Amino acid sequence: MTVKYTEDHEWLKIDGDTATVGITVHAQDALGDVVFVELPAVGTVFAQKDTAGVVESVKAAADVYMPVNGEVIEVNEALRADPSLANSDPLGGGWFFKVKLSDPIQLDALMDETSYTTYSAAA
């Protein structure tokens, strides 16, 4: 399974033509304790960089951007019920939504883990 990262601090785990999307450890560290998430509706089609959701913490709110073109096929209802999963397990149980990729070539422009680690250290 391939993992990619965006400059907006989202991660994608790619499995075929589907990607699971969440926020990175860096993002949740910057936000602090997450208290609310707004997830997109299943079936919604987004273009890359569209706002697909919102994450709110005790100290800030931030948009969650669609990292690639695609259709939302599933949302994490467990995260909606317990937003703190974005802090306690951001790369696992704290995922936000799954998207069916409509333009997989866009993945080539995203960062791998090494590139993202360097990028986020400078952020």
Side-chain angles (χ1 to χ4, degrees):
M1 189 171 299
T2 302
V3 180
K4 294 285 192 166
Y5 299 86
T6 72
E7 292 180 354
D8 297 312
H9 306 287
E10 289 96 17
W11 56 261
L12 300 84
K13 288 183 184 171
I14 296 97
D15 186 11
D17 67 349
T18 302
T20 302
V21 179
I23 61 171
T24 64
V25 171
H26 177 84
Q28 69 85 29
D29 280 345
L31 284 166
D33 293 336
V34 175
V35 295
F36 174 78
V37 294
E38 180 182 307
L39 301 173
V42 171
T44 304
V45 176
F46 290 97
Q48 186 177 38
K49 298 285 189 179
D50 282 353
T51 300
V54 176
V55 57
E56 295 181 9
S57 71
V58 294
K59 64 181 183 179
D63 290 333
V64 177
Y65 298 103
M66 181 59 73
V68 291
N69 295 346
E71 177 184 354
V72 175
I73 58 172
E74 185 178 347
V75 297
N76 187 352
E77 294 297 342
L79 180 65
R80 190 187 318 263
D82 182 7
S84 69
L85 288 171
N87 295 117
S88 63
D89 193 13
L91 303 178
W95 61 275
F96 279 59
F97 54 87
K98 294 184 181 183
V99 60
K100 182 172 176 60
L101 305 172
S102 61
D103 190 3
I105 198 79
Q106 290 176 319
L107 297 171
D108 294 342
L110 301 178
M111 293 178 271
D112 62 14
E113 185 173 4
T114 301
S115 298
Y116 178 74
T117 299
T118 301
Y119 173 80
S120 62

